[in-house]
Amino acid sequence: MSTPETVPGSRSLNVLLRVLGGIERLGNRLPHPFWLFVLLSAVLALLSWGLAAAGVSAVNPATGKTVAVKSLVSGDGVRMMVGDAIENYTSFPPLGTILVVMLGVAVAERSGLLAAVLRSGVAKVSPRWVTFALAFTGMVAHVASDAAYVVLIPLGALAFRAVGRSPILGIVVAFVSISAGYDASPLVTPTDAILSGLTTAAAHTIDPAYLVTPLANYFFSLASSLVLAGTITLVTERVLARRVESMPVDPDAEEDDLGSLTLSAEERRGLRAALVTLVVFAAALTAAVLPAGSPLRGEGGGIVQSPLLTSIAIFLGLAFLAVGWAYGKAAGTVTGSGDIPAFMAHGLREMAPILVLFFAISQFLAYFKWTGIGEIVAIDGAGLLKSAGVSGPVVFLGILLVVTVINLVVTSGSAQWALVGPVFVPMLMLLHIPPEHTQALYRIADSCTNAITPMSPYFVMALGFLQRYRRSAGIGTLASMTIPLALALLVVWTLLFFAFWGLGIPLGPGAPVP
């Protein structure tokens, strides 16, 4: 990796770069998240043994029952860890949800639909709107998960060069819109399925019947995607565009094929077919839900607690499957019915690392819940906050600060939420703050610093794309442009959350309003 390029007169940036370097060295010493949760399970076993021996307990104000710590280093503990291992994994809430969604997403991705949608989002955009178009396309790209980085960052450079602007700026805008805005999208994404499952599991500490659906933060996520795209546009045009003026592209930088932004006739036909299919699918689903006696409605004809929302993963998977198949048939990328299961199998193969990580996480969370430590920490923490008279906004800011700092080192969103969610969600539930709001706070803190931490492999990827146009670029070059954007997004996104909270706007369909 090249030496960081410093910015003349920017002492604060140099200090921050040294801090980032320290974070990188610290983070590199951490084990893989799989082994991290294995080690945490071992630590939990010792901790539960000590706390149980000390007779640590608390009274749950929600149920009036006394909760005492149970030791994993006991006959009952060993029987639970061995006997429930398979059930702990197979009943892990995010597991089935993410697999079902990804079966459909894989068809949409392998047929070429997602890449075509991203390219169409930045193609033929006027210079005046190219920044916003690219930033908002980044929000849409979250439906493709980590594949968005590979597709959109080089496309960002192409889009900006096509309108006569610096490709360096296009790389930064694309990278930040995907990374710092990772948990915001106008579409429901696989991340929604993972987070909602983990939040549901954490909420069961207080209320075993509580359900957080993948749509629980949809209204907030939709608004966030527009607000964040606007913020990225404003900071880019007012600040970064001037910064890039002092970063000319190397004269011998490799030329890109600007024609690669142009969709072929087959791709345009495929997009039209996909759009028609999506409209028909939405209309059919709406027609199925409208009758008062529809089996997709809940008790009393309700929508909130209904199969439509509680099983939304199935409908999302079907929607991605339908539009991906329609695109592929029209564009010629799907030549037979056998392609569809092959695409699904490929998508599940790409999910293998997450499925392996889920095994370690599911066991740790099951142990954590069984010992009662999480519930006691939540009860005592909520009691401490109540006795101190700490209000909701102060608690929110505290959680944002803690998770933001952790995110500099632990960049896996699911791993980090699995670590802190079982404490924060029940603790705030005891303060009458719904899990949906705690999850929304986590979305903010888990996203913004992704664009500045050297622990993110995509930070290094973005730097590699940057060096294609300016070989002298280093960590300092990229950080000097991502830091202003990350800080602006953190502030604006937090204010948006407080606006939802203060005005009593629901975060999503069926989400409670405090």
Side-chain angles (χ1 to χ4, degrees), residues 97-418:
T97 302
I98 189 63
L99 287 178
V100 170
V101 172
M102 285 305 299
L103 286 174
V105 172
V107 174
E109 191 271 329
R110 295 296 296 172
S111 67
L113 171 62
L114 298 184
V117 169
L118 297 183
R119 289 165 58 205
S120 66
V122 296
K124 297 182 179 179
V125 178
S126 68
R128 181 179 179 181
W129 290 100
V130 67
T131 304
F132 181 83
L134 180 59
F136 188 71
T137 301
M139 303 298 163
V140 176
H142 296 148
V143 72
S145 297
D146 291 353
Y149 290 97
V150 180
V151 175
L152 194 61
I153 292 178
L155 285 181
L158 288 174
F160 269 64
R161 174 168 275 191
V163 296
R165 301 189 66 180
S166 172
I168 293 175
L169 203 57
I171 289 172
V172 173
V173 171
F175 171 58
V176 171
S177 64
I178 301 171
S179 59
Y182 192 79
D183 287 332
S185 178
L187 304 177
V188 181
T189 70
T191 299
D192 293 310
I194 294 176
L195 293 184
S196 63
L198 291 170
T199 306
T200 295
H204 285 176
T205 301
I206 302 299
D207 183 356
Y210 205 97
L211 175 66
V212 179
T213 74
L215 294 176
N217 288 157
Y218 178 70
F219 297 155
F220 180 67
S221 183
L222 173 61
S224 297
S225 64
L226 293 169
V227 171
L228 297 187
T231 303
I232 291 173
T233 301
L234 183 63
V235 176
T236 298
E237 299 301 337
R238 296 294 180 87
V239 179
L240 298 186
R242 300 176 183 178
R243 169 81 180 99
V244 171
E245 290 177 358
S246 62
M247 295 182 187
V249 174
D250 291 340
D252 58 344
E254 57 184 277
E255 291 290 335
D256 294 293
D257 179 14
L258 297 181
S260 62
L261 273 177
T262 304
L263 297 175
S264 65
E266 292 79 8
E267 289 171 324
R268 290 194 297 271
R269 185 167 59 247
L271 287 178
R272 288 193 295 268
L275 179 60
V276 171
T277 303
L278 180 60
V279 172
V280 171
F281 182 90
L285 186 58
T286 301
V289 175
L290 281 179
S294 170
L296 296 182
R297 289 178 175 264
E299 294 184 9
I303 296 294
V304 175
Q305 293 296 329
S306 67
L308 176 64
L309 292 187
T310 58
S311 302
I312 190 65
I314 295 176
F315 297 106
L316 290 174
L318 289 174
F320 279 113
L321 170 62
V323 297
W325 195 340
Y327 173 88
K329 292 295 289 184
T333 55
V334 173
T335 57
S337 59
D339 290 339
I340 302 304
F343 290 168
M344 291 179 173
H346 185 276
L348 292 187
R349 283 196 296 271
E350 292 186 337
M351 286 291 296
I354 294 179
L355 299 182
V356 172
L357 177 60
F358 275 7
F359 180 80
I361 292 177
S362 64
Q363 302 308 316
F364 171 78
L365 291 182
Y367 303 162
F368 195 59
K369 181 179 180 180
W370 186 86
T371 62
I373 292 177
E375 188 173 355
I376 292 173
V377 170
I379 293 169
D380 290 344
L384 180 62
L385 292 174
K386 283 182 179 179
S387 62
V390 177
S391 62
V394 176
V395 176
F396 297 156
L397 292 175
I399 290 177
L400 283 171
L401 177 61
V402 170
V403 177
T404 296
V405 172
I406 295 176
N407 191 55
L408 290 169
V409 179
V410 182
T411 57
S412 170
S414 57
Q416 187 182 172
W417 190 225

Side-chain angles (χ1 to χ4, degrees), residues 176 180 447-452 481-491:
V176 171
S447 300
C448 296
T449 50
N450 287 338
I452 66 174
M481 291 183 285
T482 60
I483 288 172
L485 285 166
L487 293 178
L489 293 180
L490 181 60
V491 171

